[in-house]
Amino acid sequence: MLPLPALLRALTSGELSPTDHVDDVLARLERDETGCVITLDADRARERAAELTASAARGERMGPLHGVAVGIKDLIDVAGLPTRCGSRLLADAPPAAADAAVVALLRAAGAVVVGKLHTHEFAYGPVGDTAATGPCRNPHDLSRITGGSSSGSAAAVAAGHLPLAVGTDTGASVRTPAALCGVAGLKPRRGAIPGAGVFPLAESFDTVGLLATDAASLAVARAALGGPGPANPGAVRVGIAGGGWWRPHEPVLADAVRTAADALAGLDHTVSEVDTPGVAELAATYPVITGAEAYATHRDWYATRRDEYQTATAQRLAPHAEAPAHTYVDARRARRRLASALVEHLRGRADVLVCPTTRLRATPIGADTVPTPAGDVAVRPSLLETTSPFNLTDLPVVALPVPVPGLPAGIQLVGVTVGEAELLGLAGALERALR
Amino acid sequence: MLPLPALLRALTSGELSPTDHVDDVLARLERDETGCVITLDADRARERAAELTASAARGERMGPLHGVAVGIKDLIDVAGLPTRCGSRLLADAPPAAADAAVVALLRAAGAVVVGKLHTHEFAYGPVGDTAATGPCRNPHDLSRITGGSSSGSAAAVAAGHLPLAVGTDTGASVRTPAALCGVAGLKPRRGAIPGAGVFPLAESFDTVGLLATDAASLAVARAALGGPGPANPGAVRVGIAGGGWWRPHEPVLADAVRTAADALAGLDHTVSEVDTPGVAELAATYPVITGAEAYATHRDWYATRRDEYQTATAQRLAPHAEAPAHTYVDARRARRRLASALVEHLRGRADVLVCPTTRLRATPIGADTVPTPAGDVAVRPSLLETTSPFNLTDLPVVALPVPVPGLPAGIQLVGVTVGEAELLGLAGALERALR
């Protein structure tokens, strides 16, 4: 699949019609081997593509994404399709009455919604292996996980099925699957892309984000959703996150960070190591806050239909039945205090923070732990603890693949003093330098 | 005590010196019979008054409150004085190292801090009868409560000791004692007056507010704290809160609302009854949210020094030890949903809402229930449930006394579409009309 800028040039020049593009996308999705497709909306997509092809022929463009096929994580409402959230509990969900806000914005920009994509059940996990339809498989190695919870969005883009997919990110869920599948992901600040019509995981952190082949594509898509276009940040202070928290379990992931740091230094940015005081304590508040909020949402189903959850989901919900309110209040207070202190510390030292997206690359499906030279390590925290700090601090992040041998590796570019626009500009320059 | 505008005229003209005024205030506070005084800062107050008297003689004014004596609720830090929060647990509290933000602002405006005033223990109650030093007594009848938790602030102003006092309002705590003591109170939006240096009750709602003899005084004090001066709102839609929630247990309190409504109609405002859908459900979220947050603050003391709390405080904390996190999350969600819906409903119908401040006037100290023609009614909810909805909706409120026979009665003017400035302007016009 062409990156979005090139695809849009082809669609705009008439070299490629919306109909040809959407037919191609639908054919790829029908042949998919990853399990990323949950519901295809083929008839409506072809119909819309035909309208857009006709209007393009009259020289009329609906918007900046005229004719671009897009897939939607099945946690997000698309009018006329069920929102099943990867769960047997919603196997018989009725068609959604209305588009979620982000879907409406995409349609208004001329995008063609082709269907719903795999999610880790109720978005409650960074793995992508837990869903009513089974695991989503990594296009780079079908025996391995995609990461989650926007598993299908990452797999569909990585497999070349789609130029753009919508995901959500509560603690990891855009960036971790982007990293494990080798695509780019944008986690904006919470609320920057509107969240109406998205099934909640944890309201303190739920964020709508985007996945695409590269940062240049993310920049085009973000601008089409009413966000800022990419901006040149000028020479910035790049901080490389230092300390044990950020040390990956696979050396190749540290290599990826170093590669990015060298490329950024070559682009005349100042690069230095920065520490992140309190990050472990900050990250420890995440499961407490998220668990309480998720349990409150699921309580009634959990009481009456527990067997219909996937086992892993039921096990994650269970401890939150009895968790006391004052512990949740404590976690919220600690989060606020530690996040403010960390952001203030970082602002004094860096405009952009660079760190690995995950501590492991894609692991075998079904493995809760994996062996490393330093001993067995748990998969789930390795896919969450390096991403959740930026939900806790609510900083914008672009997750970017960095070329390494073998399975994909990803880094995060975190906007400390810069916003999405500068971050997307910097990420675009970095990926050009890395090519 | 003169209302603040007249007092300031006397201080500015030289008719009254800061020293004479502060000496008068200190003499009154030393003779006090209500129990409103916790700590007098007489020496420093006299010293400061002498400085301000000298600078006034040179024609120099420190600020808009030059020489005005002010008392501070003993939940709020004053540098050099202990903050005891009405509790035996803080009997040996060290002197506060720094002034709370509101105290620093008052001093910068030229006010003279004379001491610390009675608070319901840890501000956790709308009664004012629960504190290490015993109950605070109503100046209008020393056998009756003041309301709380800013009990001492209301009593000191009502007794004529002070022209101005600072309080806090989490669910009732400025407005209820203002109503029961017959003075005026301002509960701004949360954070409008900075809250640093105030012992927390519940961070979702804690608000710093002011008490003074009348709305005209509040307007002067608020402007001196960097807020808007009073503004003329023009002709507004006045909504009288209708329905059983707002029906007081004493008919004279309904009379007070009618008196205010007639006066507002006489000022050419449009007056009509408006309903408040969902207010009972909204108010029910208040004790759940406040209790969890208060318990989290007090947990360690409650575990190790329970006996040192006043019995009523320990009893209020107890049920929150085991309250589950998901119930708190539910209450927060319900609060957000119901408050938004209520505000939206009101905005369509009224610019200012008028309702009683409390359902009872000052009750006898020690009475948990009081007899009414319709049977016994509980005191505490009667002093809280008509005020907490405006913490839950975070609307600004001016609580105003309305002349009635016997004990004082108060009404609330709630800013629905108008802000503090217009609300203070309207309250000032109303109190002039009521005279």
Side-chain angles (χ1 to χ4, degrees):
Chain A
M1 183 60 55
L2 289 172
L4 208 39
L7 177 66
L8 282 165
R9 280 194 297 274
L11 285 165
T12 306
S13 68
E15 188 185 330
L16 184 69
S17 76
T19 290
D20 291 343
H21 167 59
V22 167
D23 280 346
D24 173 42
V25 164
L26 290 170
R28 283 172 166 278
L29 291 170
E30 280 159 10
R31 287 196 311 266
D32 169 69
E33 294 182 317
T34 68
C36 70
V37 180
I38 300 299
T39 315
L40 272 189
D41 203 10
D43 291 348
R44 286 204 302 174
R46 287 202 179 89
E47 197 177 311
R48 183 65 182 145
E51 290 169 12
L52 293 167
T53 299
S55 66
R58 294 192 303 273
E60 292 166 16
R61 273 168 63 82
M62 285 296 297
L65 299 179
H66 188 99
V68 172
V70 60
I72 311 293
K73 182 180 188 179
D74 196 20
L75 197 75
I76 301 172
D77 284 350
V78 171
L81 302 182
T83 306
R84 294 207 181 97
C85 302
S87 183
R88 286 162 57 198
L89 283 139
L90 291 168
D92 301 324
D99 283 331
V102 63
V103 173
L105 286 171
L106 285 166
R107 290 201 207 270
V112 179
V113 174
V114 295
K116 306 294 288 284
L117 302 173
H118 190 280
T119 174
H120 194 108
E121 188 177 27
F122 290 114
Y124 199 16
V127 189
D129 62 346
T130 301
T133 57
C136 194
R137 295 174 180 279
N138 195 307
H140 295 272
D141 176 345
L142 293 175
S143 73
R144 291 182 183 264
I145 64 170
T146 52
S149 64
S150 305
S151 33
S153 301
V157 172
H161 300 340
L162 277 170
L164 177 66
V166 181
T168 63
D169 191 313
T170 301
S173 289
V174 159
R175 293 161 288 158
T176 288
L180 270 51
C181 293
V183 303
L186 171 67
K187 180 202 83 69
R189 280 183 197 277
R190 199 166 73 89
I193 300 176
V198 179
F199 195 97
L201 171 57
E203 62 259 37
S204 288
F205 308 119
D206 289 345
T207 304
V208 177
L210 302 172
L211 298 99
T213 46
D214 54 13
S217 298
L218 291 176
V220 170
R222 183 67 187 96
L225 285 172
N232 182 339
V236 296
R237 296 168 302 161
V238 173
I240 308 299
W245 190 260
W246 306 104
R247 198 163 300 133
H249 299 306
E250 297 186 68
V252 69
L253 288 166
D255 296 344
V257 171
R258 251 189 311 273
T259 300
D262 292 347
L264 288 164
L267 292 168
D268 287 338
H269 301 293
T270 313
V271 178
S272 63
E273 187 171 301
V274 300
D275 60 336
T276 56
V279 70
E281 296 82 352
L282 176 62
T285 68
Y286 176 81
V288 180
I289 297 171
T290 299
E293 296 177 2
Y295 189 86
T297 299
H298 287 279
R299 182 183 42 228
D300 294 348
W301 280 339
Y302 188 76
T304 57
R305 301 172 63 187
R306 190 170 317 178
D307 294 350
E308 296 173 66
Y309 285 96
Q310 302 296 307
T311 307
T313 308
Q315 285 172 346
R316 288 198 79 179
L317 287 169
H320 300 289
E322 304 295 332
H326 53 88
T327 304
Y328 173 78
V329 171
D330 278 349
R332 287 175 57 92
R333 289 180 186 170
R335 178 254 172 141
R336 207 158 31 226
R337 179 172 49 80
L338 293 164
S340 296
L342 177 56
V343 169
E344 195 181 354
H345 177 89
L346 291 175
R347 281 181 184 277
R349 290 157 180 79
D351 301 304
V352 174
L353 187 73
V354 175
C355 61
T357 304
T358 54
R359 297 196 193 114
L360 288 171
R361 293 184 292 173
T363 53
I365 288 171
D368 290 336
T369 62
V370 291
T372 73
D376 283 3
V377 297
V379 169
R380 202 172 66 198
S382 302
L383 304 183
L384 177 64
E385 289 181 346
T386 44
T387 48
S388 68
F390 309 115
N391 302 88
L392 291 154
T393 51
D394 199 21
L395 296 174
V397 183
V398 174
L400 211 60
V402 171
V404 297
L407 292 166
I411 60 156
Q412 298 180 86
L413 298 179
V414 182
V416 176
T417 68
V418 305
E420 275 183 76
E422 292 78 13
L423 205 58
L424 286 163
L426 188 74
L430 174 60
E431 72 187 359
R432 286 192 299 275
L434 290 174
R435 264 169 210 151
Chain B
M1 183 60 54
L2 290 171
L4 208 39
L7 176 66
L8 282 166
R9 280 193 296 275
L11 285 166
T12 307
S13 68
E15 186 185 330
L16 183 70
S17 75
T19 291
D20 291 344
H21 166 60
V22 167
D23 280 346
D24 174 42
V25 164
L26 289 170
R28 284 173 167 277
L29 290 171
E30 279 159 9
R31 288 197 311 267
D32 168 68
E33 294 182 318
T34 68
C36 69
V37 181
I38 300 300
T39 315
L40 271 189
D41 203 12
D43 291 348
R44 285 204 303 176
R46 288 202 178 90
E47 197 177 311
R48 183 65 181 146
E51 291 169 11
L52 293 167
T53 298
S55 65
R58 295 192 304 270
E60 292 166 15
R61 274 169 61 82
M62 285 297 296
L65 300 179
H66 189 100
V68 172
V70 60
I72 310 294
K73 182 181 188 178
D74 196 19
L75 197 75
I76 301 173
D77 284 349
V78 171
L81 302 182
T83 306
R84 294 208 181 95
C85 302
S87 184
R88 286 162 58 200
L89 284 139
L90 290 169
D92 300 323
D99 284 332
V102 63
V103 174
L105 287 170
L106 285 166
R107 290 200 205 269
V112 179
V113 175
V114 294
K116 306 295 288 284
L117 303 173
H118 190 280
T119 174
H120 193 109
E121 187 177 27
F122 290 114
Y124 199 16
V127 189
D129 63 345
T130 301
T133 58
C136 195
R137 295 174 180 281
N138 196 308
H140 295 272
D141 177 344
L142 294 174
S143 74
R144 291 183 183 263
I145 64 170
T146 52
S149 63
S150 306
S151 34
S153 302
V157 172
H161 301 339
L162 277 172
L164 178 65
V166 181
T168 63
D169 191 313
T170 301
S173 289
V174 160
R175 292 160 289 158
T176 288
L180 270 50
C181 293
V183 302
L186 171 66
K187 180 204 82 69
R189 281 183 197 278
R190 199 165 71 90
I193 300 177
V198 179
F199 196 97
L201 170 59
E203 62 259 37
S204 288
F205 308 120
D206 288 347
T207 303
V208 177
L210 302 172
L211 298 99
T213 46
D214 54 12
S217 298
L218 291 176
V220 170
R222 183 68 186 97
L225 286 172
N232 182 340
V236 297
R237 297 169 301 162
V238 173
I240 308 299
W245 189 260
W246 306 104
R247 199 164 299 134
H249 299 306
E250 298 186 70
V252 70
L253 289 166
D255 296 345
V257 172
R258 252 189 310 274
T259 300
D262 290 347
L264 288 164
L267 292 168
D268 287 338
H269 302 294
T270 313
V271 178
S272 64
E273 187 172 301
V274 300
D275 60 338
T276 56
V279 70
E281 296 82 352
L282 176 61
T285 68
Y286 176 81
V288 180
I289 297 172
T290 299
E293 296 177 2
Y295 189 86
T297 298
H298 288 278
R299 182 183 42 227
D300 295 348
W301 279 340
Y302 188 77
T304 57
R305 301 172 64 187
R306 190 171 317 177
D307 293 349
E308 295 173 66
Y309 286 96
Q310 302 296 307
T311 307
T313 307
Q315 284 172 347
R316 288 197 79 179
L317 287 169
H320 300 288
E322 306 293 332
H326 53 89
T327 305
Y328 174 77
V329 171
D330 278 348
R332 286 175 57 92
R333 289 180 186 169
R335 178 254 172 140
R336 208 158 29 227
R337 178 172 50 80
L338 293 164
S340 296
L342 178 56
V343 170
E344 195 181 354
H345 177 88
L346 291 175
R347 281 180 184 275
R349 290 158 179 80
D351 301 306
V352 174
L353 188 74
V354 174
C355 60
T357 304
T358 54
R359 297 196 194 115
L360 288 171
R361 292 185 294 172
T363 53
I365 289 170
D368 290 336
T369 63
V370 291
T372 73
D376 283 2
V377 299
V379 170
R380 202 171 66 199
S382 301
L383 304 183
L384 178 65
E385 289 181 346
T386 44
T387 47
S388 67
F390 310 115
N391 302 88
L392 291 154
T393 51
D394 199 22
L395 295 174
V397 183
V398 173
L400 211 60
V402 171
V404 297
L407 292 167
I411 60 155
Q412 298 179 89
L413 298 178
V414 182
V416 176
T417 67
V418 305
E420 275 183 76
E422 292 78 13
L423 205 57
L424 286 164
L426 187 75
L430 174 59
E431 72 187 358
R432 286 191 299 274
L434 290 174
R435 265 170 207 152

